[in-house]
Amino acid sequence: MGNYYVVFDILDSGYKAWFFPAFGLVFIVVGIALFSSRNKVFLFDGNMNRSRKALPFLWFGFSILWTFSAFYSTYGEYAYLIDSVKKGYVERVEGKVENFKPMPLGGHKMERFCVQSTCFRYSEGIVTNGFNNSNANGGPIKEGLLVRITHVGDVIVKLEILK
């Protein structure tokens, strides 16, 4: 029905939310440093109270929990989306971008648009494996653009634009 080119395809983009759980590794390293130096004079004085003794354990435990939770949720979303695409559990909509509301240059709002009666919203500030490249940051979506979108729920897993 036209000559489209692919702008985004989750099958090609890979696990793009990896940075979110990876950030937790910094906290794990700090936790290891706190734990390994808990008896050093430069970090704690000799009269440590119970809460200061517990800090390295709490920090390290929370860091591990946060990192694994972040990985589980982001990779879980990725695996679900990939599985849905491969099994054909997707919906497609094709047409003109309407009611486009770009994210402002300062950010902090969702970019929104509709194609036919299906509406989408996304932001770079939301951790997702789906399409979320806003117009303010070089994204391709604009009012009147002819697109073909494959989506799982409200997550865009493939974006194609008419040449």
Side-chain angles (χ1 to χ4, degrees), residues 64-82:
I64 294 279
L65 180 66
W66 186 91
T67 302
F68 281 110
S69 297
F71 176 75
Y72 182 78
S73 65
T74 58
Y75 194 81
E77 179 210 35
Y78 174 70
Y80 169 74
L81 293 172
I82 291 293

Side-chain angles (χ1 to χ4, degrees), residues 26-27 38 57 61 69 72 79 81 90 94-95 101-102 104 113 116 118 126 130 141 143 147 150 152 157:
V26 173
F27 294 107
R38 70 187 182 281
F57 296 99
S69 297
Y72 182 78
L81 293 172
V90 297
E94 187 173 335
K101 294 186 179 36
F113 70 93
Q116 296 180 19
T118 306
I126 304 294
I141 301 296
E143 186 73 28
V147 296
T150 305
V152 176
V157 293

Side-chain angles (χ1 to χ4, degrees), residues 12-83:
D12 296 331
S13 70
Y15 173 51
K16 67 180 209 149
W18 62 268
F19 67 90
F20 191 62
F23 187 71
L25 296 176
V26 173
F27 294 107
I28 289 174
V29 169
V30 170
I32 290 170
L34 283 172
F35 186 76
S36 64
S37 64
R38 70 187 182 281
N39 294 322
K40 305 282 192 240
V41 175
F42 70 88
L43 187 59
F44 299 109
D45 61 21
N47 299 321
M48 288 192 297
N49 61 27
R50 219 174 246 196
S51 62
R52 287 184 75 186
K53 285 181 183 178
L55 176 66
F57 296 99
L58 294 173
W59 183 284
F60 186 67
F62 178 76
S63 299
I64 294 279
L65 180 66
W66 186 91
T67 302
F68 281 110
S69 297
F71 176 75
Y72 182 78
S73 65
T74 58
Y75 194 81
E77 179 210 35
Y78 174 70
Y80 169 74
L81 293 172
I82 291 293
D83 189 54

